[in-house]
Amino acid sequence: MNNSSSSGKTERILIAGFGGQGALTAGQIIALLHMGRGLNVTWMPSYGAEMRGGTANCSVIVSDGIIGSPTVSTNADVLIALNTPSLDKFEPIVAPGGTIIANTSIIKRGTTRTDVKFIGVDATNIAVALGNLKIANMVAMGTYLNLHPEFNDSDFEKVLNDRFGEKGKALIPLNMEAMKKGRV
C-alpha cells in the first residue's frame, strides 16, 4: 500500500473486464479480504448497460485511515485488466510505481510504461484448463494475492464461503484451485 493520504496507508485497486468476466466479484473478494484484517474499505462497481459482454469495472480502496472518495479515477496502485479494452482505458491512470496484472490469454501486448510493474497471467487459458471459463477472475486474484503475502489460502477460502454461501459451496474447491494456479 502506498502512503498516499495524510490519514494512513492506502491502496487503490481497479479491476476491469467484459461483463461476465467476474471483475466485480473479484473486487468484492479483495474488499472482504482486507475488511477481514480490520481495514477501511470501499467497493464501487461500474458497468455498461449491456451487462454480460459489455464493460464492467470496480474501484476498491483499502486504507488504515479515512477514505475520502470511493472511486479510483487517478493514481491506481493496482490495475487488474481482464481484457485489452480495459488495459487500453485504465493503463494511463496507474500511478508510477504501481502494478498492472494483465490476463495475457486475451491481452496480447505488454506495456510501454517503464514506471510500473507489469505482471502477465494466462488467466483465461488456465480457467479453461480447469474446466470453467468463469474462474479466470480467480486466477487473476491469485496473482493479486502475490502482492499481499499476509493473506493465506484459508483467508481466501473463508471469504469465498462468506461471499458465495451455501448456494455456491460446491464451487469453492474449483475457485480455490484457480486462485492457487494464479498464485504461482
Side-chain angles (χ1 to χ4, degrees):
M1 288 195 278
N2 290 334
N3 194 6
S4 60
S5 74
S6 60
S7 58
K9 292 183 178 183
T10 300
E11 183 178 46
R12 301 164 57 81
I13 308 140
L14 188 61
I15 306 106
F18 293 127
Q21 282 188 296
L24 304 183
T25 299
Q28 288 176 333
I29 290 169
I30 289 171
L32 291 167
L33 278 165
H34 288 287
M35 283 175 54
R37 294 275 185 211
L39 296 172
N40 297 319
V41 175
T42 62
W43 172 80
M44 180 68 68
S46 174
Y47 42 88
E50 308 91 359
M51 293 299 279
R52 185 170 297 279
T55 58
N57 68 78
C58 65
S59 298
V60 178
I61 301 176
V62 178
S63 182
D64 61 2
I66 296 170
I67 299 171
S69 171
T71 60
V72 178
S73 56
T74 61
N75 297 315
D77 298 301
V78 178
L79 167 62
I80 301 173
L82 299 174
N83 62 17
T84 304
S86 296
L87 181 60
D88 293 343
K89 181 175 181 178
F90 296 114
E91 178 180 22
I93 72 164
V94 177
T99 301
I100 297 171
I101 298 170
N103 177 3
T104 55
S105 301
I106 295 173
I107 300 169
K108 299 303 181 191
R109 70 171 182 88
T111 182
T112 57
R113 293 187 56 183
T114 57
D115 62 344
V116 297
K117 182 177 183 180
F118 187 89
I119 303 170
V121 59
D122 197 16
T124 299
N125 289 334
I126 291 170
V128 169
L130 291 172
N132 189 333
L133 176 65
K134 293 181 179 183
I135 59 172
N137 63 337
M138 292 298 120
V139 177
M141 283 294 308
T143 305
Y144 170 79
L145 291 176
N146 286 336
L147 305 176
H148 288 278
E150 69 270 22
F151 295 118
N152 59 41
D153 291 357
S154 62
D155 295 327
F156 190 77
E157 188 170 14
K158 180 186 181 320
V159 166
L160 289 180
N161 277 303
D162 291 347
R163 169 62 178 80
F164 297 124
E166 284 300 314
K167 181 179 175 185
K169 192 171 186 137
L171 296 174
I172 292 186
L174 183 60
N175 281 278
M176 287 297 296
E177 188 176 354
M179 178 274 296
K180 289 175 184 177
K181 294 281 186 184
R183 202 161 190 175
V184 293

